[in-house]
Amino acid sequence: TQLLEQSPQFLSIQEGENLTVYCNSSSVFSSLQWYRQEPGEGPVLLVTVVTGGEVKKLKRLTFQFGDARKDSSLHITAAQPGDTGLYLCAGRHAGGTSYGKLTFGQGTILTVHP
Amino acid sequence: DVKVTQSSRYLVKRTGEKVFLECVQDMDHENMFWYRQDPGLGLRLIYFSYDVKMKEKGDIPEGYSVSREKKERFSLILESASTNQTSMYLCASSGRVGNEKLFFGSGTQLSVL
């Protein structure tokens, strides 16, 4: 299985701080999705990026797809306790034996303290 | 609201038991998926289905089977449960092939003793 490395695995910050979560791979992806999962619930899609270099904003969240479509980042500005949760990236493979397959990163557990 | 419903939130089973996990979606989606989620490993695909009576192995199919007799229902079967199958199981569905959004159920936390 081709891996999607997500970092950091854990992030504990104070309200108002900024943070960035990274997803990296040696594989090229046709698209990359970011999901957020709260305790007791399934993941919910936040955004899909499809073009190399693409930047999408969702309120205080900024998502970027790398130029080579091998990596992505999620930046949160002025984090709030409501941002607490598990963040997952998922890349859809663009070629090779894994063509079309969706691979998930290991996840980042974010805790924002009031 | 669109919904993916998993029949049980928590299950406790004994080693060797046959276990059925049920999933129903009300969105008329063609694609359905079963994942397991373990800390530090993300989501790993067990099986998926693109149509009724059709199934494909994912990355970790060993010890599992599936059934899709109706479009809205996708069942995961553990033929003989083992302790290493203790995990959170997530069902998901999606529409057309492509960059489709996955809709997840709330998960079933299975403990095999």
Side-chain angles (χ1 to χ4, degrees):
Chain A
T1 303
Q2 294 168 306
L3 295 176
L4 191 52
E5 297 290 336
Q6 192 170 337
S7 63
Q9 192 173 350
F10 300 95
L11 206 47
S12 180
I13 62 172
Q14 294 297 127
E15 183 176 359
E17 291 184 21
N18 301 333
L19 66 111
T20 302
V21 178
Y22 300 93
C23 260
N24 294 290
S25 178
S26 57
S27 301
V28 177
F29 298 109
S30 58
S31 65
L32 196 133
Q33 299 175 330
W34 284 91
Y35 290 82
R36 179 165 164 256
Q37 184 178 17
E38 297 188 30
E41 298 296 329
V44 175
L45 181 69
L46 296 173
V47 77
T48 301
V49 285
V50 299
T51 306
E54 182 176 2
V55 177
K56 278 193 175 177
K57 292 194 174 185
L58 189 66
K59 297 184 182 176
R60 293 174 294 99
L61 279 60
T62 302
F63 305 86
Q64 185 160 7
F65 201 12
D67 291 340
R69 293 184 289 130
K70 294 183 178 181
D71 57 88
S72 181
S73 63
L74 157 61
H75 182 79
I76 302 180
T77 304
Q80 298 177 0
D83 296 326
T84 292
L86 173 67
Y87 290 81
L88 293 157
C89 60
R92 192 166 299 282
H93 291 271
T97 56
S98 297
Y99 174 74
K101 195 170 158 182
L102 192 66
T103 295
F104 280 84
Q106 304 97 317
T108 296
I109 298 175
L110 171 64
T111 305
V112 182
H113 301 279
Chain B
D1 254 0
V2 295
K3 217 177 226 185
V4 177
T5 304
Q6 293 184 231
S7 55
S8 304
R9 184 70 186 91
Y10 298 98
L11 272 181
V12 180
K13 297 292 181 180
R14 296 209 174 272
T15 302
E17 280 193 74
K18 190 169 185 176
V19 181
F20 293 87
L21 302 183
E22 305 287 347
C23 176
V24 176
Q25 51 96 2
D26 65 1
M27 294 165 280
D28 200 36
H29 281 164
E30 292 79 13
N31 310 322
M32 295 189 76
F33 307 83
W34 275 107
Y35 289 89
R36 64 177 282 177
Q37 182 175 30
D38 300 288
L41 296 178
L43 273 65
R44 292 180 291 165
L45 182 63
I46 305 171
Y47 265 97
F48 60 100
S49 170
Y50 286 146
D51 201 353
V52 175
K53 296 192 185 292
M54 178 272 180
K55 59 186 178 184
E56 292 283 346
K57 292 180 180 179
D59 296 319
I60 51 164
E62 297 78 18
Y64 303 95
S65 62
V66 291
S67 172
R68 191 159 181 208
E69 295 296 318
K70 293 184 178 181
K71 189 177 185 179
E72 67 271 18
R73 187 179 297 271
F74 193 35
S75 303
L76 180 68
I77 304 153
L78 286 67
E79 296 290 342
S80 177
S82 63
T83 54
N84 63 13
Q85 292 178 310
T86 292
S87 186
M88 170 67 79
Y89 289 87
L90 288 164
C91 175
S93 71
S94 71
R96 59 173 175 82
V97 177
N99 296 326
E100 67 270 20
K101 171 181 178 178
L102 289 180
F103 292 85
F104 284 89
S106 297
T108 296
Q109 179 62 52
L110 172 66
S111 296
V112 182
L113 306 177

